[in-house]
Amino acid sequence: MSEIPETASGGVVWQSSPPGSIYDHIRVASFSIGPDGLVEQWSRRAVDLFGVSAEEARGKDPVEVFMPADLRERGHRRVKEILDGKEWTGLVPFRVPGEERPHGVAEMYVMPTETEAGERAALCIVVDVRALRRIETDLAASQAIFGQSPFGFLLFDTDLTVRRANRRFATVFGGDADDHRGRTVHDYLGRPEAERMTTALRKVLETGESVTDLRIVGAAPGARDRRHWSINLYRVHSGSGRPIGVAGLGIDVTRRHNAAREAASARRNLALLNQAGARIGNSLDLEATARELLDVAVPGFCDLASVDLYQGLLTGDEAPPGRWGSSHDVGYGAGSAELRRVAFASAVADTPRRTDGGHARDTGCPGTVPIEVGAVHRYPFNSPCAGALRTGRIRTVHGDDGDLARSTLVVPMTAHDTVVGLVQFSRAKGSEPFGERDRALAVELAARAAVCIDNARLYRREHERALILQRSLLPPGDPEAAGLDIACRYLPGTDATEVGGDWFDVIELPGHRTALVIGDVMGRGLRAAVAMGELRTAVRTLAQLDLEPAEVLSHLDEIARGLGAPIGAQQSRAHKNRGPELAEVYLATCVYAVYDPVTRRCTFANAGHLPPVLVEPGEEARLLPVPPGMPLGVGGEPFEEVEVEIPEGALLALYTDGLVESRDHPLDEGLSAFRRALTDPSRPLEDVCDRVLGSLNTGHGEDDIALLMARIQGLPAEAVGDWRLPREPRSVGRARELARAQLAAWSLEPLVDTVELLVSELVTNALRYGEGEIRLRLLRDRTLVCEVWDAGLVQPRRRRAKDTDEGGRGLQLVGLLSSSWGSRRTPRGKTVWFELALPEGGEAAEPTVEQLLSMF
């Protein structure tokens, strides 16, 4: 019987022991001895213990049957004493019948009894000593494991109350081990964790499935710090397999948890830094860079974040290096300059876009008034935000119970000892406050963004300067030229791309001729714009020399190669560790064309540029077969010229590669689209330009676009006077007569005297210093041009005549009376020319006495 419970009335209720009783484990058996000393009764457990059936044991002398021979005499004495009424307890070796050697040792308890007749008898209780020793060993081992374990150990009963706790558990949770009997997990843990633990205990008890590494968080009695435990649960069974409770082993893993959290935080921080390196700075836009910073920080690092940049930085104002945020700067008011809120991000639900970070009351950043994204504001002088800007050091601000943010890091954005703005990282209620590792990460993130923002600022300043330089070098408005109707377009790349080196120019040449130029310096940025300016200036200088197009490009090639010459010796010494260096190599493409409106012929020379496009009336647009040549700056290759006669009303287009080439389509497709856009050249030239830019994909913004278009008009025959004069003295008078008659036909009588005088001087010089036949030509367009040609190669040179010289003042007179004059070489000699402005309803201005005397 396992137990004898009592009823409410105090009576005893007998209860059968369930299977797996303690008696099964200790192997208890019984038998009885009659008055004659022989076995009378033999229990079934005795059969199991001794291996002898009841039939074999009854009526036998137990001493003779079960005891070894050397112990039988003592055994008989003990049996006699027992039958005389004496109790006895002791260890008795026994053997199985038929064997000589002892089989085991039994602990025997003999109690005297009486039969119904009053005779003496005995009842013997036998226990297998080996089973008892095993139980003692198991109990000792169990006690050692339970009592000496360095981990908390609990044994829960089937009703989930604590049946037993070990000393280690009591050390953590207070009291003695026995004080914890009858308690539940609710006595140790908060409600959420206690319910989790109860659910796990019930599941283990019902299913028998063990639970390993159940993480429980709580605080020991009297302690404020939260501890982390790893709980292992398994069901405990009786010898027969009946569940009798749940054993729980608890290990304090707080240090392990903290180390794992630190490792996870370090991995997260490294991942954030890696992500920051990949995502911050992809744009050269200040506001976009600020938004990229917040995209990285929220929600991976914080719950709320905002970025403020100095207003002066955003508007392009210059500031001394290292002075951003200084209280000595002009306009900083109460210790803080104007800033603009450029970005805000939040991972907190229902957070308004307009916010001050949730810590305005404590920090004064910027007060109780929220800051709208895009708003310009100032921080109070004594606020942590203003202090961070002045000192360049991070500040930590803790929020109150009513604030949205639990803690905030106020981090100045510093690049190259210059504070460009302020970023605030905040963690809301329920998130862990910032630690030292977080502070270091915040500084690193802000610094990376600050460098990118400062680079964007420097780039924007350089981009604006390059754009100003480039636009200042382009022809203002729509240029004018004799015999040409001109329209042009220039489209810079987007703000995301650097300024290119595209340029075009329209240069008036003597004889009402016009030079059309278009070029593209390879490379981008301020250097490309400067190189473009140098080449454009060189082109204008060479054009005034009235050189042939191929000669102009040859000289430009030398100039471009000079731009890439080795740096000076003094600069080389500054870089002596790196050896000799070269300056940046400048390569450029260019088309130089000279158009003569009298002959309507255009001479082209090309230096690696895309070919011009010509559209004749009634014909499709075609590429002119101008040899491409090598780009300027390569050197070593001559340039070829091509002369093309262009009919009246034809359209000539010069352009850069940004118009016809992009990543979306190859060059051939762009050229085909460009030619198709020119199918109706009779429309107004401005409309044709707009159609070209509208039909081609010019919105990609990958490169600058320059487009120069000219419609050929030519000079009418009645606007040209052309004569050939023999080489004889009377040709001087003939030249005056021809000029007088032509001016009268053009109704330019006010210019007759001046033209007669100057023509006489030029023809006389041709007779005196020139060679071959003389040619006189008058051209009337927006001005009057007179040209005198001869076969001589000696160029006229203006000099100051001495007071005693009778001549030598002809060219001085030409320079005094004309608006401009000059000479140029031709394939068969030279041409000397002068130009006069047409009279505007009045007489031509006569030279003053002082001007005439200045020649002597």
Side-chain angles (χ1 to χ4, degrees), residues 422-581:
L422 187 75
V423 58
Q424 299 180 58
F425 303 109
S426 299
R427 288 183 178 173
K429 299 296 183 179
S431 300
E432 294 186 3
F434 292 109
E436 288 300 321
R437 192 186 300 274
D438 296 322
R439 288 170 57 92
L441 177 61
V443 171
E444 180 65 22
L445 289 175
R448 292 195 179 196
V451 170
C452 295
I453 288 175
D454 194 52
N455 290 341
R457 175 180 67 88
L458 296 175
Y459 164 78
R460 185 173 66 178
R461 183 177 65 184
E462 180 176 320
H463 182 273
E464 291 175 352
R465 290 177 177 177
L467 193 59
I468 293 173
L469 173 62
Q470 187 179 48
R471 288 179 173 174
S472 67
L473 295 175
L474 295 175
D478 291 331
E480 296 181 354
L484 292 176
D485 183 14
I486 296 177
C488 53
R489 294 289 188 275
Y490 172 74
L491 299 179
T494 62
D495 292 340
T497 60
E498 295 186 77
V499 172
D502 295 10
W503 95 92
F504 65 90
D505 209 345
V506 178
I507 307 171
E508 293 188 58
L509 300 178
H512 286 313
R513 294 171 304 131
T514 303
L516 303 175
V517 190
I518 196 162
D520 184 3
V521 175
M522 299 181 186
R524 310 193 67 79
L526 186 59
R527 290 181 178 272
V530 170
M532 178 270 286
E534 293 176 333
L535 293 178
R536 179 181 181 274
T537 301
V539 169
R540 281 193 159 266
T541 302
L542 295 170
Q544 297 305 318
L545 299 177
D546 209 356
L547 302 177
E548 296 297 323
E551 291 184 84
V552 172
L553 293 186
S554 296
H555 286 293
L556 282 179
D557 181 59
E558 292 294 330
I559 293 173
R561 293 173 62 188
L563 296 177
I567 58 179
Q570 71 280 5
Q571 194 170 355
S572 296
R573 286 193 294 270
H575 304 278
K576 58 185 178 180
N577 295 333
R578 294 185 290 179
E581 295 186 9

Side-chain angles (χ1 to χ4, degrees), residues 225-247:
D225 57 326
R226 292 160 60 89
R227 310 297 296 177
H228 294 260
W229 290 287
S230 174
I231 306 298
N232 299 296
L233 304 174
Y234 58 92
R235 191 167 68 181
V236 180
H237 303 84
S238 65
S240 62
R242 180 176 61 87
I244 60 174
V246 177

